[in-house]
Amino acid sequence: MSRKPSGPKKARDKATEPAVPPQLAAPFAPADTSAAQAEPPAAPTAPAPAPAEVSDAAVAAFLKADPGFFERHPALVAELRVPHPSGAAVSLVEHQLSILRGQLDDQRRRLSHIIARARDYEVLSARLHSLTLALIAAPDWPALEAVLDDAMCRDLNAQCVTLKLFALPAPEGQDDPLVAAFHDFLDRRHCLCGPLAADKSGLLFGDFGPQVQSAALIPIHAGDQTGVLAIGSSDAARFHPDMATDVLDRMGEVVGQRLLAINHGHA
């Protein structure tokens, strides 16, 4: 048996042909001569893309491809935290690493403290050198006192400076209250820092005595003369008993030698 065609041949052929030719995609489309003559508008500048976060897989792949990375960067090993699964027990390796990290942090803090102290000491040494030169150039007692007052107030953040020499032995029949108050200080060789009693503060600094909250008392030895160079501050924390006094002790020795030279008439 023969099957009847479902429709005329011409109708079938026409139905299978596309009515409109397919359009090519933009990159492959034929150039339009009219569009080529006109300059296209400039495209807006796109913002720079934000840096992509590095994934754990990328880091793992990098370390796997470069096994010697930590050999070139050993400082990073101390910062790593490598787990050591041990169940409910405490990992001895991790415990040791935590102790070593703590010791490393302590050493870093101590090193930073030492560096800061060294810088402060360097600044103080430079100031002491400048003060020594100024004291050498001072021709007499008033000039020396002016040099000390200017240097102490400027470099040590002090509010008052006084230089007292004791007449020893005291003249017969005369009791010097200053000598009586600082009798225990006469034989000292090192500076004394900290709070000062009200009566001693008044003897040294006069009307400014009640405002002095801390002071540095530097012993002065100039031949047969003994005295004290007192530096007062309204800041209670400026001079404290635990502070280093080697620079102040050296300054006291320089002042004593310069006073000795002035007393003997040496310029």
Side-chain angles (χ1 to χ4, degrees):
M1 293 179 61
S2 61
R3 182 179 297 177
K4 280 187 177 183
S6 58
K9 182 178 181 181
K10 290 184 179 181
R12 290 200 312 270
D13 294 341
K14 186 175 181 180
T16 58
E17 293 179 359
V20 181
Q23 299 296 323
L24 297 178
F28 306 101
D32 189 355
T33 55
S34 61
Q37 295 177 358
E39 184 178 355
T45 304
E53 294 185 0
V54 181
S55 63
D56 293 349
V59 174
F62 172 79
L63 295 178
K64 185 176 181 180
D66 188 4
F69 175 79
F70 290 109
E71 295 178 359
R72 299 191 304 274
H73 304 277
L76 294 178
V77 179
E79 305 296 332
L80 294 178
R81 296 189 177 275
V82 182
H84 300 278
S86 55
V90 177
S91 170
L92 179 60
V93 175
E94 185 63 26
H95 179 63
Q96 290 174 332
L97 286 177
S98 64
I99 294 176
L100 292 176
R101 289 192 186 99
Q103 293 176 349
L104 180 60
D105 292 338
D106 291 340
Q107 294 296 330
R108 286 174 176 172
R109 285 192 293 268
R110 292 181 60 186
L111 180 59
S112 299
H113 179 70
I114 292 174
I115 293 175
R117 290 291 300 272
R119 290 173 178 170
D120 294 341
Y121 188 83
E122 183 178 2
V123 173
L124 287 175
S125 297
R127 292 175 178 175
L128 178 61
H129 178 69
S130 300
L131 175 60
T132 302
L133 297 179
L135 290 174
I136 292 174
D140 50 28
W141 179 286
L144 184 140
E145 286 188 313
V147 169
L148 289 174
D149 185 77
D150 179 70
M152 298 301 99
C153 293
R154 181 187 66 247
D155 297 335
L156 295 183
N157 192 26
Q159 281 71 49
C160 53
V161 180
T162 184
L163 178 60
K164 301 287 187 180
L165 291 181
F166 308 139
L168 296 176
E172 186 177 354
Q174 296 182 7
D175 294 331
D176 189 349
L178 194 62
V179 175
F182 291 92
H183 183 270
D184 296 336
F185 186 79
L186 300 181
D187 295 331
R188 287 188 63 90
R189 291 292 174 180
H190 298 286
C191 177
L192 181 64
C193 298
L196 195 60
D199 56 340
K200 295 182 179 181
S201 182
L203 287 172
L204 289 174
F205 303 111
D207 295 338
F208 197 83
Q211 302 180 39
V212 173
Q213 299 298 316
S214 64
L217 305 182
I218 306 172
I220 302 297
H221 301 281
D224 56 352
Q225 288 184 315
T226 302
V228 56
L229 174 61
I231 309 169
S233 174
S234 57
D235 182 4
R238 181 63 190 89
F239 300 106
H240 53 87
D242 296 330
M243 68 181 298
T245 62
D246 50 344
V247 174
L248 296 177
D249 292 337
R250 293 178 186 177
M251 184 178 64
E253 294 175 358
V254 173
V255 172
Q257 290 299 313
R258 186 56 192 152
L259 284 174
L260 185 60
I262 292 175
N263 292 336
H264 285 79
H266 299 295

